[in-house]
C-alpha cells in the first residue's frame, strides 16, 4: 500500500468509531467486526475476506497509539489527499500526493529534497533516505546472584559483584575489523535491520542476517572477537542492595549491565538475592518474628518480659495475667524496612516453658496449687465437644 493510499483511507470509518474513540472502544469495535467478517465464518466469500483485511489493517494503525498519532498527524496535514494551505492563502489548490511522496516536487515550484515520504519513514519502515549512518546498539542485560545474611537483607548492604559480559573488543576498538575500518553493510545500509512483509500492507523488521544486526561488516575480521566487535570482559563492581529485600527478590539496576555499542546505552543488571536464615529471628513480609520463652508464673500472673530486637536495644513487653501459650504480641516499628522508609513490626510469640525437674519449695508450691485447683477440669469442654450434636 502506498503512502497516498494510506492517507486517503479513513480507518475510523472502517471500524465505525469516532475520531476521539478510546483504545477500549477501538478494540471493542474491531473484535465485533472481526468475528462478523472472519474468513472461517464466511468460507468462499471474497467480499467478506477483503473486508476482514481492511478491518485488520485499520486495527493495526488505530490500535497502536504511536501509529495512530502519526496517522492523525498525516491526515491533519494533507486532509483527504489535498495539501491544506495555511491561513491567509488565497484560493484552493491541491497537489498530487503521488508527486509529493515521489520526492521530485512539481514542475513549477522546485523539488522537495528527499521527499515528504521521509516524514512517514518510521511508520512504513521505509526510512526515506537512510544514508550510511549505523545505529547505536544497547548493551546486553546481565543477571547475577548474591547471598546476604539475614541482617544484611534487613538493613541493606553494599556487596562486590564480579561479572562477565560482552564489551567492545579492545583489540579492534569495537569495530570488528583488525584495521579498524569496517564497511557499512550493503544489505541493511547500516541500520542493522531488514524488513519483512506482514501481509497487511506494512512491514516488520528483523535483525540483518548478514551483519547480525550490527550494521557493519568487517573486511578483515579481528582475531580476538572474530569480527563481532564484542569480546568477553570481566569486571568487579560495588552494588548497593537496598534494605528490606526478601529471599528470591530480583533487583533491577538500570545502566549497570554490558556497555552499549557505537554510543548506545548500557544494559541493565538484574541481581537475584538469596537470604540466609537467622538463629533467632524470622520474617513475615515486612514484619520480623521471634519466639520468647516465659515461665509458668509469668504467664499465669503476668509481668514484664525483655525481648531482643535485630540490631537494636531490647524492648520490654508487658505480659498480661493469664497469657496463654502461643499468644503473639506486637512491638511496633521494630521490623524490616519498607519501600517508603517506614518499618514493619516485631511479632513476639509467647512460649510457656514447663520445667523438667521441680524440687524443694517450688515443688511444694505446685502441690499446694494442684490441691487448690482440684475441682477444675481443663478438659471438660473438650469431652463435651467431642460428643457432637
Amino acid at each position: 500500500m502506498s503512502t497516498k493510499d494510506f492517507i486517503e483511507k479513513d480507518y475510523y470509518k472502517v471500524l465505525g468509531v469516532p475520531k476521539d474513540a478510546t483504545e477500549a472502544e477501538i478494540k471493542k469495535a474491531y473484535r465485533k467486526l472481526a468475528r462478523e467478517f472472519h474468513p472461517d465464518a464466511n468460507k468462499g466469500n471474497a467480499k467478506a475476506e477483503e473486508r476482514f483485511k481492511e478491518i485488520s489493517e485499520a486495527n493495526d494503525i488505530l490500535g497502536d497509539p504511536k501509529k495512530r498519532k502519526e496517522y492523525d498527524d498525516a491526515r491533519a496535514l494533507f486532509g483527504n489527499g489535498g495539501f491544506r494551505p495555511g491561513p491567509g492563502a488565497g484560493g484552493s489548490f491541491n497537489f498530487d500526493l503521488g508527486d509529493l511522496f515521489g520526492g521530485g516536487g512539481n514542475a513549477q515550484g522546485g523539488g522537495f529534497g528527499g521527499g515528504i515520504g521521509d516524514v512517514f519513514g518510521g511508520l512504513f519502515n521505509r526510512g526515506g533516505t537512510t544514508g550510511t549512518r549505523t545505529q547505536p546498539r544497547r548493551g546486553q542485560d546481565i543477571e547475577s546472584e548474591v547471598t546476604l545474611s539475614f541482617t544484611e537483607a534487613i538493613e541493606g548492604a553494599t556487596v562486590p559483584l564480579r561479572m562477565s559480559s560482552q564489551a567492545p573488543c579492545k583489540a579492534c576498538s569495537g569495530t570488528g575489523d583488525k584495521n579498524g575500518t569496517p564497511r557499512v553493510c550493503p544489505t541493511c545500509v547500516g541500520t542493522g535491520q531488514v524488513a519483512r512483509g506482514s501481509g497487511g500492507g506494512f512491514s516488520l523488521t528483523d535483525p540483518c542476517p548478514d551483519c547480525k544486526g550490527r550494521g557493519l561488516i568487517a573486511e578483515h575480521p579481528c582475531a580476538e572477537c572474530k569480527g563481532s566487535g564484542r569480546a568477553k570482559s570481566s569486571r568487579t563492581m560495588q552494588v548497593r542492595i537496598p534494605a528490606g529485600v526478601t529471599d528470591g527478590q530480583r533487583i533491577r539496576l538500570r545502566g549497570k549491565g554490558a556497555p552499549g555499542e557505537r554510543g548506545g546505552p548500557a544494559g541493565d543488571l538484574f541481581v537475584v538475592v538469596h537470604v540466609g536464615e537467622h538463629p533467632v529471628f524470622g520474617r513475615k513480609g515486612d514484619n520480623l518474628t521471634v519466639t520468647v520463652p516465659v515461665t509458668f508464673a509469668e504467664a499465669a500472673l503476668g509481668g514484664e518480659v525483655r525481648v531482643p530486637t535485630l540490631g537494636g536495644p531490647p524492648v520490654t513487653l508487658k505480659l498480661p495475667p493469664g497469657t496463654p501459650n502461643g499468644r503473639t504480641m506486637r512491638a511496633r516499628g521494630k521490623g524490616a524496612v519498607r519501600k517508603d522508609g517506614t518499618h514493619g513490626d516485631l511479632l513476639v510469640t509467647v512460649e510457656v516453658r514447663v520445667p523438667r525437674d521441680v524440687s524443694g519449695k517450688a515443688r511444694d508450691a505446685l502441690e499446694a496449687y494442684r490441691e487448690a485447683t482440684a475441682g477444675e477440669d481443663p478438659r471438660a469442654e473438650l469431652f463435651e465437644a467431642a460428643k457432637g450434636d
Side-chain angles (χ1 to χ4, degrees):
M1 179 183 65
S2 68
T3 310
K4 178 177 181 294
D5 292 336
F6 166 77
I7 292 179
E8 290 181 344
K9 282 191 176 183
D10 188 345
Y11 288 127
Y12 292 100
K13 185 176 180 180
V14 171
L15 294 182
V17 296
K19 289 183 172 59
D20 60 350
T22 64
E23 290 185 30
E25 290 172 336
I26 291 173
K27 184 182 293 185
K28 182 178 179 180
Y30 165 70
R31 288 179 175 175
K32 179 181 178 182
L33 293 172
R35 284 195 296 269
E36 181 180 350
F37 292 98
H38 196 281
D40 291 344
N42 300 271
K43 295 186 181 297
N45 189 334
K47 289 185 177 180
E49 182 177 352
E50 189 63 30
R51 176 76 169 122
F52 180 76
K53 291 181 180 179
E54 189 178 35
I55 294 166
S56 299
E57 183 179 296
N59 183 63
D60 285 342
I61 297 299
L62 301 185
D64 185 317
K66 183 178 179 181
K67 289 182 179 180
R68 181 181 179 182
K69 184 179 185 305
E70 291 174 338
Y71 171 70
D72 289 342
D73 291 345
R75 286 180 64 83
L77 176 63
F78 293 104
N80 293 320
F83 184 83
R84 295 181 178 178
S92 61
F93 54 95
N94 292 323
F95 287 96
D96 185 347
L97 285 174
D99 292 339
L100 282 173
F101 288 98
N106 57 44
Q108 298 176 355
F112 286 95
I116 299 182
D118 290 349
V119 176
F120 307 100
L123 180 62
F124 290 96
N125 288 321
R126 298 191 313 171
T129 54
T130 60
T132 58
R133 292 181 301 169
T134 56
Q135 301 298 315
R137 296 184 69 192
R138 180 180 180 275
Q140 291 181 335
D141 292 336
I142 302 175
E143 185 161 306
S144 185
E145 296 182 346
V146 63
T147 299
L148 302 180
S149 69
F150 188 91
T151 303
E152 288 176 327
I154 298 299
E155 298 179 351
T158 300
V159 297
L161 282 182
R162 183 170 179 80
M163 297 172 296
S164 295
S165 64
Q166 293 293 316
C169 176
K170 294 182 179 179
C172 63
S173 300
T175 64
D177 191 285
K178 67 179 182 180
N179 297 329
T181 55
R183 65 184 178 91
V184 174
C185 174
T187 303
C188 65
V189 200
T191 64
Q193 297 179 327
V194 293
R196 61 180 173 88
S198 64
F202 298 95
S203 61
L204 303 176
T205 58
D206 288 328
C208 176
D210 293 338
C211 66
K212 305 299 186 294
R214 295 189 65 234
L216 300 172
I217 292 180
E219 294 283 2
H220 307 91
C222 169
E224 294 293 329
C225 64
K226 306 297 188 292
S228 68
R230 311 288 283 180
K232 190 173 182 179
S233 174
S234 296
R235 56 184 171 137
T236 300
M237 63 184 300
Q238 299 294 319
V239 175
R240 179 63 185 176
I241 306 297
V245 294
T246 57
D247 184 53
Q249 185 173 340
R250 193 167 182 254
I251 300 173
R252 181 178 187 175
L253 301 175
R254 297 185 182 276
K256 300 297 184 180
E261 190 173 356
R262 296 190 296 277
D268 297 334
L269 171 63
F270 293 88
V271 181
V272 178
V273 180
H274 302 288
V275 180
E277 295 183 353
H278 195 280
V280 173
F281 297 97
R283 185 171 181 179
K284 287 185 178 180
D286 295 326
N287 298 323
L288 298 183
T289 62
V290 63
T291 299
V292 177
V294 299
T295 66
F296 173 76
E298 288 174 325
L301 303 176
E304 292 185 343
V305 180
R306 293 178 74 244
V307 178
T309 62
L310 184 67
V315 294
T316 300
L317 296 182
K318 188 174 182 180
L319 207 64
T323 298
N325 182 62
R327 179 175 179 177
T328 298
M329 298 181 294
R330 188 182 298 268
R332 298 192 179 278
K334 301 300 181 181
V337 180
R338 299 190 181 102
K339 291 182 178 180
D340 61 1
T342 62
H343 287 72
D345 301 330
L346 175 63
L347 305 180
V348 182
T349 301
V350 172
E351 182 182 75
V352 179
R353 290 284 178 89
V354 178
R356 292 183 180 181
D357 299 317
V358 181
S359 60
K361 292 182 179 181
R363 185 176 185 85
D364 293 340
L366 285 176
E367 290 288 356
Y369 173 78
R370 180 158 59 181
E371 290 179 8
T373 58
E376 297 180 8
D377 185 0
R379 294 172 290 279
E381 294 182 2
L382 175 67
F383 281 95
E384 188 65 27
K387 293 178 181 179
D389 297 334

